[in-house]
Coordinates of all heavy atoms in Angstrom, one line a residue:
Chain A
A289 N 34.5 27.5 -33.1 CA 35.3 27.7 -31.9 C 36.6 28.6 -32.3 O 37.2 28.4 -33.3 CB 35.8 26.4 -31.3
P290 N 36.9 29.5 -31.4 CA 38.1 30.3 -31.7 C 39.3 29.4 -31.6 O 39.3 28.3 -31.0 CB 38.1 31.3 -30.6 CG 37.2 30.8 -29.5 CD 36.2 29.9 -30.2
S291 N 40.4 29.8 -32.2 CA 41.6 28.9 -32.2 C 42.2 28.7 -30.8 O 42.7 27.6 -30.5 CB 42.7 29.6 -33.1 OG 43.0 30.8 -32.6
V292 N 41.9 29.6 -29.9 CA 42.3 29.3 -28.5 C 41.0 29.2 -27.7 O 40.2 30.1 -27.6 CB 43.1 30.5 -27.9 CG1 43.4 30.2 -26.4 CG2 44.4 30.7 -28.6
V293 N 40.7 28.0 -27.3 CA 39.5 27.7 -26.6 C 39.6 28.1 -25.1 O 40.5 27.5 -24.4 CB 39.0 26.2 -26.7 CG1 37.8 26.0 -25.9 CG2 38.8 25.9 -28.2
E294 N 38.8 29.0 -24.7 CA 38.9 29.3 -23.2 C 37.7 28.6 -22.6 O 36.6 28.9 -22.8 CB 38.6 30.8 -23.0 CG 39.8 31.7 -23.5 CD 39.5 33.2 -23.1 OE1 38.6 33.7 -23.7 OE2 40.3 33.7 -22.3
R295 N 38.1 27.5 -21.9 CA 37.0 26.7 -21.3 C 36.2 27.5 -20.3 O 36.8 28.2 -19.5 CB 37.7 25.5 -20.7 CG 38.3 24.6 -21.7 CD 38.8 23.3 -21.0 NE 39.6 22.5 -21.9 CZ 39.2 21.8 -22.9 NH1 37.9 21.7 -23.1 NH2 40.0 21.1 -23.7
G296 N 34.9 27.3 -20.4 CA 34.1 27.9 -19.3 C 33.7 29.3 -19.6 O 32.9 29.9 -18.9
R297 N 34.2 29.9 -20.7 CA 33.8 31.3 -21.0 C 33.1 31.3 -22.3 O 33.4 30.5 -23.2 CB 35.1 32.2 -21.2 CG 35.7 32.5 -19.9 CD 36.5 33.8 -20.0 NE 37.0 34.2 -18.7 CZ 38.2 33.7 -18.3 NH1 38.9 32.9 -19.1 NH2 38.6 34.0 -17.1
P298 N 32.1 32.2 -22.5 CA 31.3 32.2 -23.8 C 32.3 32.7 -24.8 O 33.1 33.5 -24.6 CB 30.2 33.2 -23.5 CG 30.3 33.7 -22.1 CD 31.6 33.1 -21.5
A299 N 32.1 32.3 -26.1 CA 32.9 32.8 -27.2 C 32.5 34.2 -27.4 O 31.4 34.7 -27.0 CB 32.7 31.9 -28.4
A300 N 33.3 35.0 -28.1 CA 33.1 36.4 -28.2 C 31.8 36.8 -28.8 O 31.2 37.8 -28.4 CB 34.2 37.0 -29.1
S301 N 31.2 36.0 -29.6 CA 29.9 36.3 -30.2 C 28.8 36.1 -29.2 O 27.6 36.4 -29.5 CB 29.7 35.4 -31.5 OG 29.5 34.1 -31.0
G302 N 29.0 35.5 -28.1 CA 28.0 35.2 -27.2 C 27.5 33.8 -27.2 O 26.9 33.3 -26.2
A303 N 27.8 33.0 -28.2 CA 27.4 31.6 -28.2 C 28.3 30.8 -27.2 O 29.5 31.1 -27.1 CB 27.6 31.0 -29.6
R304 N 27.8 29.9 -26.6 CA 28.6 29.2 -25.6 C 29.3 28.0 -26.3 O 28.7 27.3 -27.0 CB 27.7 28.6 -24.5 CG 27.2 29.8 -23.6 CD 26.7 29.3 -22.2 NE 26.6 30.4 -21.3 CZ 27.6 30.7 -20.5 NH1 28.6 30.0 -20.3 NH2 27.4 31.8 -19.7
V305 N 30.5 27.9 -26.0 CA 31.3 26.7 -26.5 C 31.1 25.6 -25.5 O 31.4 25.7 -24.3 CB 32.8 27.1 -26.5 CG1 33.6 25.8 -27.0 CG2 33.0 28.2 -27.5
A306 N 30.5 24.6 -25.9 CA 30.2 23.4 -25.0 C 31.5 22.7 -24.7 O 32.2 22.3 -25.6 CB 29.2 22.5 -25.7
T307 N 31.8 22.6 -23.5 CA 33.1 21.9 -23.1 C 32.8 20.8 -22.1 O 31.7 20.8 -21.6 CB 34.1 22.9 -22.5 OG1 33.5 23.3 -21.2 CG2 34.3 24.1 -23.4
R308 N 33.7 20.0 -21.9 CA 33.5 18.9 -21.0 C 33.3 19.5 -19.6 O 32.7 18.9 -18.7 CB 34.7 18.0 -20.9 CG 34.8 17.2 -22.2 CD 36.1 16.4 -22.2 NE 35.9 15.2 -21.4 CZ 36.9 14.3 -21.2 NH1 38.1 14.5 -21.7 NH2 36.7 13.3 -20.4
A309 N 33.8 20.7 -19.4 CA 33.7 21.3 -18.0 C 32.3 21.6 -17.7 O 31.9 21.6 -16.6 CB 34.5 22.6 -18.0
R310 N 31.5 21.8 -18.7 CA 30.1 22.2 -18.4 C 29.1 21.0 -18.3 O 28.0 21.1 -18.0 CB 29.6 23.1 -19.5 CG 28.4 23.9 -19.0 CD 28.0 25.1 -19.8 NE 28.9 26.3 -19.5 CZ 29.9 26.6 -20.3 NH1 30.2 26.0 -21.4 NH2 30.7 27.7 -20.0
R311 N 29.6 19.8 -18.7 CA 28.7 18.6 -18.6 C 28.4 18.3 -17.2 O 29.2 18.4 -16.3 CB 29.4 17.4 -19.2 CG 29.0 17.1 -20.6 CD 28.8 15.7 -20.9 NE 29.9 14.9 -20.7 CZ 30.7 14.4 -21.7 NH1 30.5 14.8 -22.9 NH2 31.8 13.7 -21.4
G312 N 27.1 18.0 -17.0 CA 26.7 17.6 -15.7 C 27.3 16.3 -15.2 O 27.8 15.6 -16.0
G313 N 27.3 16.1 -14.0 CA 27.9 14.9 -13.4 C 29.4 15.0 -13.3 O 30.0 16.1 -13.7
S314 N 30.1 14.1 -12.9 CA 31.5 14.2 -12.8 C 32.3 13.1 -13.5 O 32.8 12.2 -12.8 CB 32.0 14.3 -11.3 OG 31.4 13.3 -10.6
A315 N 32.3 13.2 -14.8 CA 33.1 12.2 -15.5 C 34.6 12.5 -15.2 O 34.9 13.6 -14.8 CB 32.9 12.4 -17.0
G316 N 35.4 11.5 -15.2 CA 36.7 11.7 -14.6 C 37.7 12.5 -15.5 O 38.8 12.1 -15.9
A317 N 37.3 13.7 -15.9 CA 38.1 14.5 -16.8 C 39.4 14.9 -16.1 O 39.4 15.3 -15.0 CB 37.4 15.8 -17.3
A318 N 40.5 14.7 -16.8 CA 41.8 14.9 -16.1 C 42.3 16.3 -16.5 O 43.4 16.7 -16.0 CB 42.8 13.8 -16.5
E319 N 41.6 17.1 -17.3 CA 42.3 18.3 -17.7 C 42.1 19.4 -16.6 O 41.1 19.3 -15.8 CB 41.7 18.9 -19.0 CG 40.3 19.3 -18.9 CD 39.3 18.5 -19.7 OE1 39.2 17.2 -19.4 OE2 38.6 19.0 -20.6
L320 N 43.0 20.3 -16.5 CA 42.9 21.3 -15.6 C 42.0 22.4 -16.1 O 42.2 22.9 -17.2 CB 44.3 21.9 -15.3 CG 44.4 22.9 -14.2 CD1 44.2 22.3 -12.8 CD2 45.8 23.6 -14.2
V321 N 40.9 22.7 -15.4 CA 40.0 23.7 -15.9 C 39.9 24.8 -14.9 O 39.3 24.7 -13.8 CB 38.6 23.1 -16.1 CG1 37.6 24.1 -16.6 CG2 38.7 21.9 -17.1
L322 N 40.4 26.0 -15.3 CA 40.4 27.1 -14.3 C 39.9 28.3 -15.1 O 40.2 28.5 -16.3 CB 41.8 27.5 -13.8 CG 42.4 26.6 -12.7 CD1 43.8 26.9 -12.4 CD2 41.6 26.9 -11.4
S323 N 39.1 29.1 -14.5 CA 38.6 30.3 -15.2 C 38.7 31.5 -14.2 O 38.8 31.3 -13.0 CB 37.2 30.2 -15.7 OG 36.3 30.2 -14.6

Side-chain angles (χ1 to χ4, degrees):
Chain A
S291 55
V292 176
V293 176
E294 289 185 298
R295 294 188 190 279
R297 286 207 176 85
S301 69
R304 288 200 164 262
V305 178
T307 66
R308 290 176 80 183
R310 199 167 282 103
R311 258 225 299 262
S314 50
E319 71 250 58
L320 187 68
V321 180
L322 280 171
S323 69

